[in-house]
Amino acid sequence: MLTCDHLVPPDRYDQRVEEYLRSTGFYHVVQIGVVQCQKALVNALVERWHPETYTFHLPVGECAVTLEDVAMIFGLPTDGLPVTGMTLSSFETLEAECLNQFGVAPLKLQCRGNGIRLTWLWDLKERLHLSDENSIQVYVKRHIMLLIGTILFGDKTGASVHWKFLSLLSDFSSIGQYSWGSACLAHLYRSLCRASRYDYKEIDGPLTLLLYSNGVNEMRYIKWRNWERGDRVYRYLKLAHFRKAFDDLEEGQFLWTAYSVDRVDPDIIPADMYMHAV
């Protein structure tokens, strides 16, 4: 059984920075809130993932998480500059980058390999006083790093975020010009391919996409709802249940056009998210 726990969920943000989050393209990701991963469903999906085709094999056909899912669930830009660059590993370089962007650098014990501990970023964000334009931008950068480390590009521990993403945040006006959505999808595909190997016991990446984008009527989750509520029956279903549900799928039970106008409440998915889907 693969494990997929994230220990540190993202926090809410100060309402004064909302427009700044919108300009960077990360506003809608913040709205998802805390999502506890459904291990049984994820494991059942991994079992049907074929690395050769990057698709899930189901009785009704092949399907996959697509850029449309990323746009409609995360609201991230799916077109723009590639999310890429050099990855340096020295602590001195990490220290200099944090000093440049945050005005403060972590101690070695506040890092984990090439990652910055999320608790350090969280504490910094909470203590920051929003007094001017610069402090607001620093606050938003810290919050984006928390989102990257938990929802979008989280590692298997869920306790740290790779500092390589910091360089992409240095120019605040350019943050929203990157194709964060396509990078996120590529990361998910790589995670699924690794998890499908017999010797892998963990899975990381944007697993929220697996919980929200599967098109089976019985298991379709409602976006923006608080999944922490104890009456969510899906939290207690076992792997055998989802295996059987996939095996018994018939035509008409799978939603191939999950985001058609007649299926989506306009109050749940805002119009600007459809622009990214196009």
Side-chain angles (χ1 to χ4, degrees):
M1 172 74 79
L2 290 164
T3 60
C4 41
D5 285 327
H6 277 177
L7 306 179
V8 185
D11 198 6
R12 299 293 296 173
Y13 58 90
D14 191 299
Q15 293 299 317
R16 289 173 289 178
V17 307
E18 182 171 307
E19 289 306 313
Y20 292 82
L21 283 170
R22 288 184 182 275
S23 69
T24 60
F26 284 86
Y27 170 74
H28 294 294
V29 179
V30 181
Q31 308 310 309
I32 291 177
V34 178
V35 175
Q36 290 294 327
C37 194
Q38 223 295 342
K39 297 179 183 179
L41 174 56
V42 171
N43 276 268
L45 287 167
V46 169
E47 288 179 349
R48 291 185 171 271
W49 178 259
H50 283 232
E52 300 83 4
T53 58
Y54 298 106
T55 56
F56 299 105
H57 285 217
L58 300 173
V60 296
E62 296 181 41
C63 67
V65 181
T66 67
L67 278 178
E68 182 182 30
D69 292 310
V70 178
M72 301 303 281
I73 294 171
F74 286 160
L76 290 171
T78 54
D79 189 19
L81 300 173
V83 177
T84 186
M86 294 182 63
T87 302
L88 303 176
S89 58
S90 71
F91 177 76
E92 291 72 23
T93 310
L94 181 157
E95 194 175 35
E97 190 69 43
C98 286
L99 282 171
N100 177 52
Q101 297 214 44
F102 298 150
V104 61
L107 302 173
K108 282 193 175 182
L109 58 83
Q110 293 167 322
C111 298
R112 186 177 180 275
N114 292 327
I116 305 171
R117 291 192 179 275
L118 297 178
T119 49
W120 182 76
L121 286 168
W122 198 315
D123 291 340
L124 279 183
K125 191 195 77 168
E126 292 302 305
R127 293 201 309 264
L128 185 62
H129 179 60
L130 303 182
S131 57
D132 53 22
E133 183 81 6
N134 181 67
S135 62
I136 289 176
Q137 291 186 7
V138 170
Y139 180 98
V140 172
K141 287 181 182 181
R142 293 175 185 177
H143 196 73
I144 290 175
M145 286 294 285
L146 287 168
L147 293 172
I148 289 174
T150 52
I151 295 179
L152 304 178
F153 301 96
D155 62 18
K156 288 184 284 291
T157 69
S160 62
V161 55
H162 202 296
W163 70 275
K164 64 186 177 183
F165 295 102
L166 266 178
S167 61
L168 302 177
L169 308 182
S170 58
D171 181 2
F172 192 85
S173 62
S174 299
I175 296 175
Q177 297 179 19
Y178 287 98
S179 181
W180 295 102
S182 59
C184 184
L185 183 63
H187 185 59
L188 175 64
Y189 278 15
R190 183 172 64 176
S191 296
L192 286 168
C193 288
R194 288 176 174 174
S196 64
R197 291 164 44 182
Y198 75 93
D199 57 340
Y200 253 68
K201 302 301 181 184
E202 296 176 305
I203 185 171
D204 60 5
L207 301 180
T208 304
L209 291 172
L210 294 184
L211 301 182
Y212 284 140
S213 62
N214 83 81
V216 184
N217 282 333
E218 179 194 357
M219 294 177 286
R220 186 166 180 77
Y221 295 91
I222 306 301
K223 194 181 180 188
W224 316 130
R225 296 280 180 86
N226 184 359
W227 210 66
E228 287 289 310
R229 280 172 46 187
D231 60 349
R232 295 280 183 233
V233 64
Y234 305 105
R235 299 179 64 183
Y236 309 104
L237 297 177
K238 303 298 183 182
L239 178 59
H241 171 89
F242 291 107
R243 281 175 174 166
K244 186 177 188 304
F246 286 138
D247 289 340
D248 295 344
L249 268 181
E250 298 178 357
E251 287 293 340
Q253 291 181 302
F254 194 91
L255 306 179
W256 294 103
T257 55
Y259 307 108
S260 58
V261 176
D262 60 322
R263 294 189 185 278
V264 177
D265 185 338
D267 294 329
I268 295 179
I269 300 184
D272 58 329
M273 295 176 73
Y274 281 94
M275 295 173 60
H276 291 307
V278 173

